[in-house]
Amino acid sequence: MMDPNLILFLILAICMFGGFISLFIFLGKRAEKQEIDLFKKLSQKLGFSYCESDTINLENKIAPLGSDFAKSPVNPLKQMVYGIEGENSIYLFNRDAPPVGSAKHGVSPSWSVCLIEVGQSFGFEAVIFHRGFSAGFSKLKEYKMALEKLREVEVDKPEFAKPQPNRFGITLIGDKYILKTDDLTKCQKAVERGMIDIFLKHRQNFKVMGINMMMAVHIKDNLLAVYTDHPSVSLSKVEQFEHLYLFAKEIKEILT
């Protein structure tokens, strides 16, 4: 006959396991509801349309970018906001990818994106991104493989191109932003018109749970994407997405 204490222990263990599963499901549904509410409020604020799934074929549209949030295979696009401004199409959304790394030391890549699609090609490809030093950033390297063919551009701005002290006064080697391109001449013209200044001005407007978000810009063909480039963290406030939209619009203005 089984020990009554063992039976009690098994019952408690099953109840605890069931409780954890229920909590996990509850938290997942709550997070999804919060994201739905976020994008519905954002669509109302901007006067754009809300899409609960990719009925606008955004997946195929972003595929040519080939890196970060556009790299496959990733989880399907869900909630998004879509609108037209003049001749440009605007898309705002969060994008999650399957976990990278081990269960103990892995990260779950997540990006918050403002994508602007213009009528004609910008004429060159360029990307600004953060060369992260921490383990979380290193695990996202596979998402930037498509950028290896681009050439790095020297930027004569210490706050952009050189490591900066963090809030504890510590400077980490490799902790800096990088600009890469496939056309040095056209990219340099964009820099001279203020592309880096706009980037430095706006990248301070994004903080989640006390963390200053790393940002990225990708210009290719007729697409301009401005997005968060931070492991496992995405934006969660309407105001932050409005800043992201303004950020992208100002970059677009100097390119057209």
Side-chain angles (χ1 to χ4, degrees), residues 215-231:
M215 304 301 297
V217 171
H218 197 161
I219 302 157
K220 186 175 183 180
D221 300 329
N222 66 331
L223 300 175
L224 163 65
V226 177
Y227 56 97
T228 58
D229 193 23
H230 209 105

Side-chain angles (χ1 to χ4, degrees), residues 16-85:
M16 288 180 64
F17 180 75
F20 281 126
I21 295 296
S22 297
L23 179 61
F24 181 78
I25 294 173
F26 168 76
L27 292 176
K29 288 184 177 180
R30 186 176 70 172
E32 184 175 13
K33 183 181 184 304
Q34 288 173 340
E35 187 167 68
I36 291 171
D37 290 343
L38 165 68
F39 284 106
K40 284 184 176 180
K41 289 177 182 177
L42 180 63
S43 66
Q44 293 170 358
K45 191 76 177 289
L46 297 177
F48 289 172
S49 299
Y50 164 74
C51 302
E52 192 168 349
S53 60
D54 189 16
T55 56
I56 54 179
N57 202 28
L58 182 57
E59 189 76 66
N60 289 335
K61 196 177 295 291
I62 64 177
L65 293 172
S67 67
D68 292 332
F69 65 90
K71 185 179 183 297
S72 293
V74 291
N75 294 333
L77 285 166
K78 290 185 179 179
Q79 290 78 30
M80 63 197 75
V81 168
Y82 163 68
I84 301 291
E85 186 177 75

Side-chain angles (χ1 to χ4, degrees), residues 85-124:
E85 186 177 75
E87 298 180 353
N88 307 314
S89 297
I90 316 294
Y91 308 86
L92 294 132
F93 56 96
N94 281 336
R95 183 61 179 269
D96 300 321
V100 177
S102 66
K104 186 176 181 181
H105 300 290
V107 297
S108 298
S110 181
W111 301 268
S112 294
V113 187
C114 178
L115 180 77
I116 299 182
E117 179 186 23
V118 300
Q120 59 185 18
S121 174
F122 292 112
F124 70 107

Side-chain angles (χ1 to χ4, degrees), residues 25-255:
I25 294 173
F26 168 76
L27 292 176
K29 288 184 177 180
R30 186 176 70 172
E32 184 175 13
K33 183 181 184 304
Q34 288 173 340
E35 187 167 68
I36 291 171
D37 290 343
L38 165 68
F39 284 106
K40 284 184 176 180
K41 289 177 182 177
L42 180 63
S43 66
Q44 293 170 358
K45 191 76 177 289
L46 297 177
F48 289 172
S49 299
Y50 164 74
C51 302
E52 192 168 349
S53 60
D54 189 16
T55 56
I56 54 179
N57 202 28
L58 182 57
E59 189 76 66
N60 289 335
K61 196 177 295 291
I62 64 177
L65 293 172
S67 67
D68 292 332
F69 65 90
K71 185 179 183 297
S72 293
V74 291
N75 294 333
L77 285 166
K78 290 185 179 179
Q79 290 78 30
M80 63 197 75
V81 168
Y82 163 68
I84 301 291
E85 186 177 75
E87 298 180 353
N88 307 314
S89 297
I90 316 294
Y91 308 86
L92 294 132
F93 56 96
N94 281 336
R95 183 61 179 269
D96 300 321
V100 177
S102 66
K104 186 176 181 181
H105 300 290
V107 297
S108 298
S110 181
W111 301 268
S112 294
V113 187
C114 178
L115 180 77
I116 299 182
E117 179 186 23
V118 300
Q120 59 185 18
S121 174
F122 292 112
F124 70 107
E125 181 175 8
V127 60
I128 301 171
F129 65 97
H130 182 263
R131 177 179 285 167
F133 182 74
S134 69
F137 285 103
S138 66
K139 287 182 172 63
L140 295 183
K141 284 184 178 179
E142 67 174 84
Y143 282 92
K144 300 189 185 298
M145 298 295 288
L147 305 178
E148 290 186 351
K149 66 182 183 297
L150 303 179
R151 298 172 61 185
E152 188 168 340
V153 180
E154 288 193 17
V155 177
D156 189 21
K157 290 184 180 293
E159 66 272 35
F160 176 86
K162 294 182 180 179
Q164 297 294 300
N166 62 19
R167 59 179 177 167
F168 303 107
I170 300 172
T171 301
L172 299 175
I173 298 173
D175 183 17
K176 67 175 184 177
Y177 279 96
I178 297 169
L179 170 61
K180 299 184 76 172
T181 187
D182 66 345
D183 191 315
L184 294 174
T185 300
K186 291 180 179 178
C187 185
Q188 189 58 43
K189 289 181 179 178
V191 172
E192 291 171 357
R193 288 196 293 266
M195 182 171 69
I196 300 300
D197 296 316
I198 293 170
F199 181 86
L200 291 171
K201 177 179 72 172
H202 282 292
R203 73 183 178 94
Q204 303 297 331
N205 291 328
F206 306 95
K207 185 176 288 189
V208 177
M209 295 182 293
I211 300 173
N212 286 315
M213 302 291 286
M214 305 306 175
M215 304 301 297
V217 171
H218 197 161
I219 302 157
K220 186 175 183 180
D221 300 329
N222 66 331
L223 300 175
L224 163 65
V226 177
Y227 56 97
T228 58
D229 193 23
H230 209 105
S232 304
V233 184
S234 54
L235 304 180
S236 59
K237 296 180 180 179
V238 170
E239 295 77 12
Q240 291 173 325
F241 273 95
E242 287 183 293
H243 278 305
L244 196 64
Y245 180 31
L246 179 60
F247 190 165
K249 284 174 65 176
E250 289 196 25
I251 293 286
K252 190 267 300 178
E253 288 302 317
I254 63 139
L255 297 176

